[in-house]
Amino acid sequence: MKKPEELRSHQWFGTEGLRSFSHRARTRQLGYLPEEHLGKPVIAVLNTWSDINPCHAHLRERAQAVKRGVWQAGGFPLEFPVATLSETYQKPTPMLYRNLLAMETEELLRSYPVDGAVLMGGCDKSTPALLMGAASADLPAVFVPAGPMLPGHWRTEVLGSGTDMWKYWDDKRAGLIGDCEMAELESGLARSPGHCMTMGTASTLTAAAEALGMTVPGASSIPAVDSGHDRMAAASGMRIVDLVREDLRPSAILTREAYEDAVATVLALGGSTNAVIHLIAMAGRSGVPLTLDDFDRIARTVPVLANLRPGGRYLMEDFHFAGGLPGFLTRLRDAGVLHLDRPTVAHKTLGEQLAGALVHDDDVIRPLDAPLAAEGGVAVLRGNLCPDGAVVKHIAAEPHLLEHTGPAVVFDDYRTLQRTIDDPGLGITEDSVLVLRGSGPLGGPGMPEYGMLPLPDHLLKKGVRDMVRISDARMSGTSYGACVLHVAPESHVGGPLALVRTGDLITLDVPARTLRLEVDDAELERRRAQWQAPPPRYGRGYGALYQDQITQADTGCDFRFLARPGEVPEPYAG
């Protein structure tokens, strides 16, 4: 156990000298008594709340519960507002700013007199950003997930945010419902604070955080407005104080074994394809080499056991009361795929953490002998169209499209696609392969969630609801369809996607894990010689830093100067 004089914050508050005197005087200016903070672990509460982030609308109140727990455990909490990454509103995409929040998290923890941190987030990019920054700073940390919103409702139907939005928008375009129904849906789709309650990116990444061992047990599935969420926040505040005293840091928790277990969890949940990019980036910050090949290898060893939308039937509240992630992980434990001897923030070992966890509903969390799918929900593809890889969430696609050859219809940017997709002159049929380029990490910019390309309205009116779609973009984790994503290298840097022409045949073979452009190598070389790189998009500012430093999807889209190893000195506080 650390003694008070061994705390990092002691260098600011506990030493003799002018600077320490000044720090204490300014703390009195804030209204704190000496006995409230001197000699106690100082805990940073990093809060991503804002007025424009509906997923985090309740985190201002939850921060009070975290502080309550810190006080009760003998610590001293300080709340820090950090960047809010709102998937709903931030354009062109919050993915452009994930690394900015990671930088802010790391440098805030490094530069202030704090001994540990509670990280509060949950909306898609906030979870990996906070964990990436905390891994780089390597101070004791606990993650508090924002929690899923309540299920949506429309008339007699239970709605899943995102998933049913895409479904009913297609129904509107097909002429099956009208403006009155859409107005009702608009008011019933998202009924409370919290992130999407399907197994979209938010639920996938918070589940990954719990599987990594960075949350208290069961934290990731508690509904945002449930009183249990308040109790979880307080428990996290209490636990971080002990972690500081024990000096248990992320580097001891975020090991190779932890990342492999997180990958297995994501795949068995039928989770979002976005987790592939984020977990690779997070692992890189932990000094753990994680690749697309690891995802493909692990996908072949785990079945899909979570019957959750968009690939299944239920929503996150159902999952929570069916046993949540602790119950779910007992299935993977029994399958022998977890590393049970590794530590978590709450227990000495994962095995100890799972002792006593139960599954209460075998339809929501399937038994090993009755999976939703025999293999993990994301497949990694290779081929001449994606030499560095691509991904497809095959459990959310219509099965007949998983082996398909069809002619390409190419769009150079998303705006053009939106404007022209319904044009009968394009000759799009249900056998066509829709191709969108210019939407990757650089081309997007920021790799927006454009990958669930809209289908032409004339096909929707015929009842067609899925087609093969290929892009260097991402897609919402709440979405569905035969969408091949994250094609690497992206078209903006001259990847093979830049060479596709309308009419070229493309073959997708998910069982064989291949994606191939049926054009001979000599013709591709001729096209490559004619290709010209687009001009830089940003002349200054954060965007210029982004375009200079961003890596490709297969390596996590981190910044090169952040992903590389290297020592960073502790600041001198005297």
Side-chain angles (χ1 to χ4, degrees):
M1 289 291 184
K2 277 192 169 185
K3 300 176 182 178
E5 60 272 19
E6 295 173 328
L7 293 171
R8 184 174 180 270
S9 58
H10 178 79
Q11 302 302 314
W12 274 261
F13 296 118
T15 61
E16 297 299 325
L18 174 62
R19 292 294 181 188
S20 191
F21 170 80
S22 173
H23 299 150
R24 293 193 298 270
R26 292 298 189 175
T27 309
R28 305 300 160 264
Q29 180 187 9
L30 290 167
Y32 295 113
L33 296 166
E35 52 267 33
E36 289 187 83
H37 73 96
L38 288 178
K40 296 180 179 181
V42 178
I43 305 302
V45 182
L46 271 59
N47 194 347
T48 53
W49 171 88
S50 83
D51 273 331
I52 201 168
N53 193 333
C55 304
H56 297 176
H58 57 306
L59 291 189
R60 185 159 54 173
E61 290 74 31
R62 291 299 176 274
Q64 300 309 309
V66 171
K67 292 179 184 179
R68 185 176 81 230
V70 172
W71 284 119
Q72 290 173 341
F76 179 64
L78 294 171
E79 186 176 354
F80 292 79
V82 292
T84 189
L85 305 183
S86 174
E87 198 67 35
T88 307
Y89 295 109
Q90 195 167 26
K91 307 300 179 188
T93 167
M95 183 64 179
L96 186 69
Y97 301 102
R98 183 200 67 182
N99 297 341
L100 184 62
L101 175 55
M103 291 170 65
E104 182 181 19
T105 299
E106 176 182 354
E107 297 306 326
L108 186 151
L109 295 180
R110 195 184 310 282
S111 60
Y112 277 97
V114 299
D115 302 297
V118 175
L119 316 167
M120 304 185 68
C123 183
D124 291 20
K125 316 306 176 290
S126 62
T127 299
L130 290 166
L131 289 172
M132 288 163 68
S136 294
D138 201 29
L139 295 181
V142 174
F143 182 71
V144 171
M149 69 177 83
L150 293 176
H153 280 277
W154 177 55
R155 299 180 180 177
T156 61
E157 294 192 37
V158 177
L159 303 176
S161 60
T163 301
D164 282 300
M165 178 183 72
W166 313 120
K167 173 183 179 295
Y168 284 110
W169 189 256
D170 281 350
D171 282 353
K172 180 180 185 297
R173 293 179 61 221
L176 300 177
I177 60 175
D179 292 340
C180 293
E181 290 86 353
M182 291 303 291
E184 292 176 14
L185 284 160
E186 189 175 292
S187 297
L189 194 63
R191 297 171 49 234
S192 78
H195 59 66
C196 292
M197 75 305 246
T198 53
M199 187 47 69
T201 304
S203 293
T204 301
L205 267 296
T206 54
E210 183 173 341
L212 285 167
M214 291 299 294
T215 77
V216 298
S220 63
S221 63
I222 304 173
V225 295
D226 193 299
S227 62
H229 198 269
D230 223 33
R231 298 191 297 273
M232 177 272 294
S236 300
M238 296 178 72
R239 183 59 190 144
I240 187 59
V241 177
D242 288 338
L243 289 175
V244 169
R245 289 173 173 148
E246 297 165 14
D247 199 27
L248 184 59
R249 299 169 181 254
S251 54
I253 295 168
L254 299 177
T255 61
R256 172 77 191 183
E257 292 76 16
Y259 281 105
E260 288 193 349
D261 288 354
V263 171
T265 299
V266 164
L267 293 168
L269 285 168
S272 168
T273 50
N274 289 304
V276 178
I277 293 174
H278 296 312
L279 281 171
I280 289 173
M282 291 159 61
R285 295 297 190 93
S286 301
V288 173
L290 190 68
T291 68
L292 289 177
D293 290 338
D294 292 313
F295 278 84
D296 194 52
R297 171 179 56 82
I298 295 171
R300 297 173 188 271
T301 68
V302 295
V304 178
L305 299 174
N307 188 7
L308 299 173
R309 301 183 203 181
R313 172 184 175 188
Y314 296 100
L315 298 172
M316 286 302 296
E317 188 172 21
D318 305 307
F319 180 76
H320 178 65
F321 291 111
L325 201 72
F328 181 84
L329 290 179
T330 63
R331 300 291 205 217
L332 297 186
R333 176 197 64 193
D334 296 345
V337 300
L338 297 180
H339 299 86
L340 299 174
D341 293 333
R342 61 182 178 87
T344 71
V345 295
H347 290 88
K348 292 187 182 299
T349 68
L350 177 63
E352 178 184 314
Q353 182 162 309
L354 297 182
L358 297 171
V359 174
H360 307 296
D361 190 327
D362 285 344
D363 194 37
V364 179
I365 301 175
R366 294 291 185 87
L368 291 169
D369 60 0
L372 203 67
E375 289 189 352
V378 175
V380 176
L381 308 174
R382 303 280 184 178
N384 70 343
L385 194 50
C386 55
D388 292 338
V391 299
V392 60
K393 189 172 181 177
H394 54 92
I395 65 161
E398 292 190 7
H400 74 279
L401 294 173
L402 300 182
E403 295 179 76
H404 179 82
T405 298
V409 179
V410 180
F411 300 89
D412 286 321
D413 61 83
Y414 191 66
R415 292 184 189 183
T416 300
L417 181 148
Q418 288 179 304
R419 189 176 67 251
T420 62
I421 188 64
D422 296 327
D423 182 356
L426 294 177
I428 299 174
T429 72
E430 59 193 277
D431 293 324
S432 300
V433 175
L434 303 181
V435 175
L436 172 67
R437 55 189 174 211
S439 301
L442 272 173
M447 210 178 176
E449 292 183 343
Y450 293 162
M452 54 282 196
L453 311 184
L455 275 58
D457 58 7
H458 70 273
L459 291 181
L460 292 172
K461 290 172 182 176
K462 287 175 56 179
V464 176
R465 286 296 183 270
D466 200 4
M467 293 174 63
V468 174
R469 289 159 275 180
I470 299 171
S471 73
D472 44 16
R474 298 176 301 109
M475 79 172 183
S476 168
T478 66
S479 191
Y480 50 86
C483 301
V484 177
L485 311 158
H486 311 180
V487 169
E490 65 173 306
S491 60
H492 201 81
V493 298
L497 200 65
L499 311 180
V500 183
R501 294 179 180 175
T502 292
D504 290 345
L505 291 180
I506 295 176
T507 297
L508 169 66
D509 189 336
V510 173
R513 300 295 197 266
T514 59
L515 179 68
R516 180 165 180 82
L517 178 62
E518 304 294 351
V519 175
D520 65 66
D521 292 344
E523 173 60 20
L524 290 178
E525 284 305 312
R526 282 193 292 271
R527 295 181 188 181
R528 188 177 303 280
Q530 297 171 359
W531 180 79
Q532 293 184 337
R537 185 172 272 106
Y538 293 98
R540 59 163 301 280
Y542 173 75
L545 171 66
Y546 176 93
Q547 69 190 13
D548 180 64
Q549 291 291 325
I550 195 68
T551 63
Q552 288 291 294
D554 60 303
T555 54
C557 296
D558 201 357
F559 287 167
R560 293 181 182 87
F561 75 96
L562 294 174
R564 70 190 183 208
E567 296 298 320
V568 179
E570 273 283 289
Y572 176 59

